[in-house]
């Protein structure tokens, strides 16, 4: 997600990482935010919990103190907010992920070549009133493709996109290295930002801390890390998905009980909330709310430090996975809203194939692998994010590992604290966190590259990128990306996903369903996402507040 990710690196929901999956210097979470912050009054400027004065109040179950830089972030809160503030040349539907024209006037009709040309929407302006031009488009893509600038977005573009050229003030050309039709859906990940704002000295640090100026239907009016972010409809927006709410106030409430309380009862202080705890679904439905789920890549994963013995031994990593009673985890912690992982990809992914190595619960095999590795008396400290459903799953991991003689300590902490330690290259043994690459898209090439590329942040965290198996994996991934035949590409991806499963360096334990609750008497057009956050671009009031 950074409550992945990654908010992990999302990471993360990160929905995870703060810098998300790419750079990650733990810098820049500041409680006082430059020009975009107007003081602590904001948690009360809701206009009333029921939408008084046109204000929609939403509760997001992840932190809003991660990076807001669209080229960097994997924070669930920040990505969801940015989808309302910024536009790409193309954006994608939040559920189908089909691309639609956003800042560009149309989706290219022919995706089989190596040149895509786009005309910008006439009259499009940024929230400061300045027009959107081709220079702004080139500015953003130049940053993403710059070999000397490490960004999360780079991993989604650099393998197939050669350059972006200005044709004239309203037209641009994307030049591809080879035909790559899947790339069209990724253009939503390159949010167009005003060059006149973000080319200034220190501007990218401001973006990290929360400064957001886009061309989308809502403009940011205040940002208070660890509290809330407010928005209002941008009066001059002339794009395809008009703002339906005069104002919005998004509260960040990571604590599950507080989140549920905020949307419950006759005096509820919000109309919609994501990351609903499974144990509260029936209660909220009884109270008249609609609660719906979305299944996708959302997962609890384990990440091992391969430089910290004995986790350099694949048998130890495999043993710890085999030891986890995943069926119990799904039943007790997830209340049935999840499935044990049978691949890195979730079973609904179009490229899914059951992996050759599947970690079905087998404590005897786990003990045997540890013995083969010469490991006994192992003590493990699990550094975990404090996302509510992750915390619910941790006791199952502990009891499972304790049962095979691995003395286990649980150390849940705020997501930003966990990944700050990663960014500072502090020593650790195992991290347990949440991740959902579906924040970025559905195609398997993108999903796998989010976690497994030679230079990305996750591989820096695992200290595995220079391993011989890893080097061959990265070569196989590059070859699959370039494969023009769709069926051959699918098979190649499935084959290297088998390698990822066998190595278990960073690997999901369970894939889960994410729940969203809303008041159907107040809101219409809500669709529950299979990844963290909310998308209100097609939502509206049932009746005017």
């Amino acid at each position: 997600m950074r409550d992945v990710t990654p908010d992990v690196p999302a990471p993360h929901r990160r929905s995870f990482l703060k810098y998300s999956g790419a750079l990650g210097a733990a810098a820049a979470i500041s409680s006082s935010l430059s020009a975009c912050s107007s003081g602590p009054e904001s948690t009360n400027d809701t206009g009333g919990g029921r939408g008084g004065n046109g204000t929609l109040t939403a509760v997001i179950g992840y932190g809003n103190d991660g990076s807001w830089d669209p080229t960097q972030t994997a924070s669930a809160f920040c990505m969801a907010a940015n989808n309302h503030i910024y536009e790409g040349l193309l954006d994608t539907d939040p559920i189908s992920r089909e691309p639609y024209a956003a800042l560009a006037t149309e989706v290219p009709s022919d995706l089989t070549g190596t040149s895509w040309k786009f005309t910008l929407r006439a009259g499009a302006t940024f929230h400061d009133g300045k027009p959107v031009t081709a220079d702004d488009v080139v500015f953003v893509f130049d940053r993403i493709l710059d070999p000397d600038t490490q960004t999360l977005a780079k991993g989604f573009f650099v393998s197939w996109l050669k350059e972006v050229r200005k044709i004239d003030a309203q037209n641009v050309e994307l030049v591809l290295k080879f035909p790559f039709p899947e790339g069209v859906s990724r253009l939503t990940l390159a949010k167009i930002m005003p060059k006149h704002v973000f080319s200034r000295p220190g501007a990218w640090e401001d973006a990290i801390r929360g400064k957001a100026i886009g061309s989308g239907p809502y403009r940011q009016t205040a940002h208070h890390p660890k509290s809330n972010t407010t928005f209002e409809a941008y009066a001059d927006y002339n794009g395809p998905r008009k703002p339906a709410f005069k104002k919005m106030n998004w509260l960040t409430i990571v604590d599950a009980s507080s989140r549920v309380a905020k949307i419950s009862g006759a005096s509820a202080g919000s109309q919609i909330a994501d990351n609903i705890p499974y144990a509260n679904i029936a209660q909220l439905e009884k109270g008249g709310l609609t609660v719906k789920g979305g299944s996708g890549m959302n997962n609890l994963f384990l990440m091992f430090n391969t430089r910290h013995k004995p986790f350099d031994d694949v048998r130890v990593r495999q043993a710890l996975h085999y030891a986890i009673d995943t069926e119990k985890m799904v039943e007790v912690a997830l209340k049935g809203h999840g499935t044990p992982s049978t691949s890195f990809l979730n079973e609904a992914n179009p490229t899914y194939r059951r992996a050759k190595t599947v970690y079905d619960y087998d404590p005897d095999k786990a003990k045997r692998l540890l013995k083969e590795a010469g490991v006994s008396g192992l003590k493990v400290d699990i550094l975990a994010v404090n996302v509510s459903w992750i915390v619910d799953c941790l006791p199952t991991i502990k009891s499972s590992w304790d049962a095979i003689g691995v003395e286990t300590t649980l150390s849940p902490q705020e997501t930003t604290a966990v990944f700050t330690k990663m960014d500072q290259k502090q020593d650790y043994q195992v991290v347990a966190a949440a991740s959902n690459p579906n924040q970025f898209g559905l195609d398997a090439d993108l999903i796998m590259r989010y976690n497994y590329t030679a230079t990305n942040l996750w591989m820096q965290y695992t200290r595995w990128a220079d391993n011989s198996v890893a080097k061959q994996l990265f070569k196989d991934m590059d070859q699959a990306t370039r494969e023009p035949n769709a069926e051959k590409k699918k098979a190649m991806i499935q084959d290297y996903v088998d390698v990822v499963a066998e190595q278990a360096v960073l690997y999901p334990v369970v894939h889960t369903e994410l729940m969203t609750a809303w008041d159907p008497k107040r809101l219409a057009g809500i669709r529950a996402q299979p990844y963290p956050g909310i998308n209100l671009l097609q939502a509206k009031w049932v009746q005017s507040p």
Side-chain angles (χ1 to χ4, degrees):
M1 281 141 7
R2 306 199 223 216
D3 273 27
V4 154
T5 245
D7 254 57
V8 180
H12 61 63
R13 139 222 63 308
R14 226 176 144 161
S15 293
F16 265 60
L17 274 184
K18 174 180 161 192
Y19 256 59
S20 73
L23 223 188
I29 294 191
S30 172
S31 59
S32 62
L33 272 215
S34 64
C36 55
S37 179
S38 59
E41 84 293 339
S42 63
T43 53
N44 296 316
D45 65 359
T46 64
R50 290 289 173 176
N53 300 323
T55 298
L56 176 139
T57 303
V59 176
I60 309 298
Y62 307 98
N64 73 340
D65 59 348
S67 173
W68 280 68
D69 174 358
T71 72
Q72 289 280 30
T73 192
S75 160
F77 190 112
C78 306
M79 285 193 69
N82 282 343
N83 284 334
H84 296 74
I85 296 169
Y86 292 99
E87 298 176 283
L89 289 171
L90 307 178
D91 282 324
T92 58
D93 181 85
I95 305 301
S96 71
R97 313 311 286 269
E98 286 295 315
Y100 64 88
L103 267 176
T105 56
E106 61 182 359
V107 179
S109 57
D110 182 9
L111 300 176
T112 62
T114 57
S115 173
W116 298 343
K117 294 181 179 178
F118 296 94
T119 298
L120 300 182
R121 186 177 72 235
T125 60
F126 291 111
H127 297 155
D128 62 1
K130 300 291 180 62
V132 181
T133 71
D135 288 330
D136 302 301
V137 177
V138 173
F139 168 70
V140 170
F141 278 101
D142 279 354
R143 172 174 169 79
I144 291 172
L145 298 177
D146 181 1
D148 296 323
T149 302
Q150 184 63 287
T151 63
L152 175 61
K154 176 178 300 208
F156 304 140
F157 290 96
V158 72
S159 64
W160 58 275
L161 182 60
K162 182 179 179 181
E163 64 176 318
V164 176
R165 299 171 177 168
K166 174 183 176 180
I167 298 174
D168 57 36
Q170 293 299 114
N171 292 273
V172 296
E173 179 186 15
L174 273 64
V175 181
L176 282 60
K177 296 177 181 178
F178 48 84
F180 191 67
E182 297 95 327
V184 71
S185 294
R186 299 189 189 182
L187 296 184
T188 187
L189 302 175
K191 299 301 187 187
I192 305 307
M193 306 169 72
K195 179 179 179 180
H196 65 272
V197 173
F198 291 102
S199 62
R200 297 170 182 167
W204 289 112
E205 287 73 17
D206 290 340
I208 291 166
R209 291 190 291 262
K211 186 171 186 176
I213 299 175
S215 62
Y218 293 94
R219 71 179 190 90
Q220 184 196 78
T221 52
H223 174 56
H224 308 276
K226 301 185 183 295
S227 172
N228 71 311
T229 301
T230 61
F231 313 78
E232 70 177 15
Y234 179 46
D236 292 330
Y237 179 72
N238 67 347
R241 299 198 170 180
K242 310 295 185 184
F245 307 105
K246 182 178 179 181
K247 295 182 179 180
M248 298 193 296
N249 185 29
W250 288 19
L251 310 177
T252 171
I253 304 180
V254 177
D255 178 73
S257 59
S258 300
R259 191 161 61 250
V260 171
K262 195 68 176 179
I263 199 172
S264 302
S267 59
S270 65
Q271 299 88 45
I272 183 171
D274 79 338
N275 196 15
I276 295 299
Y278 307 118
N280 295 104
I281 293 173
Q283 165 202 343
L284 294 176
E285 290 179 333
K286 186 176 180 180
L289 298 181
T290 296
V291 185
K292 297 291 185 183
S295 298
M297 271 294 296
N298 201 66
N299 66 84
L300 180 159
F301 68 86
L302 296 180
M303 177 173 68
F304 294 93
N305 179 357
T306 61
R307 296 277 177 84
H308 189 124
K309 292 183 178 297
F311 308 111
D312 59 330
D313 192 320
V314 65
R315 294 169 295 186
V316 175
R317 302 193 296 266
Q318 289 182 341
L320 294 177
H321 272 279
Y322 278 119
I324 299 173
D325 190 343
T326 51
E327 294 288 353
K328 177 182 177 182
M329 181 182 288
V330 169
E331 177 185 357
V332 175
L334 304 178
K335 310 301 181 187
H337 293 276
T339 56
S341 299
T342 56
S343 168
F344 195 96
L345 302 171
N346 64 298
E347 295 182 11
N349 188 283
T351 307
Y352 169 84
R353 181 180 73 190
R354 183 179 172 88
K356 290 182 178 179
T357 305
V358 175
Y359 296 101
D360 295 323
Y361 179 46
D362 192 340
D364 290 335
K365 185 170 186 176
K367 292 177 183 177
R368 187 164 61 251
L369 285 166
L370 288 176
K371 185 176 181 179
E372 290 176 4
V375 174
S376 62
L378 181 59
K379 296 181 180 181
V380 176
D381 183 13
I382 300 178
L383 181 62
V385 300
N386 67 345
V387 177
S388 55
W389 67 270
I390 294 288
V391 173
D392 291 341
C393 290
L394 293 177
T396 300
I397 299 178
K398 174 176 169 53
S399 62
S400 296
W401 288 1
D402 286 345
I404 63 167
V406 175
E407 185 179 330
T408 306
T409 301
L410 303 177
S411 299
Q413 302 175 22
E414 287 190 2
T415 300
T416 49
V418 172
F419 287 96
T420 292
K421 292 180 179 180
M422 300 295 99
D423 295 337
Q424 293 175 347
K425 296 180 171 56
Q426 294 184 26
D427 189 35
Y428 74 97
Q429 293 176 296
V430 184
V431 164
S435 182
N436 196 330
N438 286 160
Q439 292 181 124
F440 306 103
L442 297 179
D443 80 84
D445 179 274
L446 179 153
I447 288 170
M448 299 309 300
R449 285 182 177 278
Y450 174 60
N451 290 107
Y452 282 89
T453 54
T455 60
N456 80 3
L457 197 56
W458 292 115
M459 292 297 96
Q460 292 179 39
Y461 292 162
T462 63
R463 282 80 149 167
W464 190 64
D466 58 355
N467 182 280
S468 60
V469 176
K471 291 179 179 179
Q472 185 59 51
L473 170 67
F474 302 145
K475 291 179 181 178
D476 292 342
M477 293 175 72
D478 287 342
Q479 186 176 356
T481 298
R482 290 177 171 270
E483 174 54 53
N485 182 281
E487 285 305 309
K488 287 183 179 179
K489 174 179 287 191
K490 180 177 179 179
M492 293 167 73
I493 292 173
Q494 290 170 337
D495 287 346
Y496 74 64
V497 169
D498 283 341
V499 175
V500 169
E502 179 187 43
Q503 292 297 310
V505 171
L506 187 158
Y507 202 71
V509 176
V510 288
H511 289 106
T512 71
E513 186 177 22
L514 287 175
M515 312 304 296
T516 302
W518 66 92
D519 184 349
K521 297 184 182 66
R522 305 297 298 147
L523 296 176
I526 302 297
R527 293 181 290 167
Q529 298 181 169
Y531 50 96
I534 56 175
N535 188 301
L536 301 173
L537 296 182
Q538 293 178 298
K540 60 183 180 180
W541 293 118
V542 172
Q543 55 184 352
S544 180

